[in-house]
Amino acid sequence: MDEVSLMPRSFEEQALAQCSVTGAKLWFNCNPDVPEHWFRREWLLKLAQKDATHLYFTLDDNFCVGCYIKKSCVFPCKSYIMKWPW
């Protein structure tokens, strides 16, 4: 699910209910905006209970983006480049 933090929790719950096949997996990407966000509370803080893995990527991990673009993006986006938990 792309930007799951923008979806209502009921959307995520319905998607999980549809994954009834053995071995089914869901991939989420998100940038929760506050520490109290439901996705952080229910997923990122309960990884072991959910049998989930948290992968963290930065702009430098994207090899398709050139150095010029990276330099122009880092300053304006600096406040959004952070790791969980706060």
Side-chain angles (χ1 to χ4, degrees):
M1 279 189 238
D2 188 33
E3 289 297 339
V4 70
S5 62
L6 300 177
M7 308 287 181
R9 188 173 176 183
S10 60
F11 186 86
E12 173 263 345
E13 290 170 347
Q14 184 63 35
L16 285 175
Q18 299 300 316
C19 290
S20 58
V21 177
T22 302
K25 294 179 180 14
L26 280 178
W27 287 86
F28 304 112
N29 72 26
C30 66
N31 291 303
D33 54 353
V34 295
E36 299 83 23
H37 194 280
W38 69 265
F39 189 78
R40 180 177 181 266
R41 282 192 330 262
E42 297 302 318
W43 281 92
L44 298 178
L45 297 179
K46 298 179 180 178
L47 293 173
Q49 293 171 333
K50 302 273 189 179
D51 192 24
T53 301
H54 177 203
L55 304 174
Y56 177 80
F57 298 99
T58 68
L59 194 57
D60 288 329
D61 295 315
N62 189 336
F63 297 111
C64 296
V65 178
C67 292
Y68 177 78
I69 299 295
K70 288 179 186 179
K71 287 179 183 175
S72 68
C73 290
V74 171
F75 180 73
C77 300
K78 189 175 181 183
S79 63
Y80 296 104
I81 300 172
M82 58 188 77
K83 279 190 155 184
W84 292 99
W86 278 306

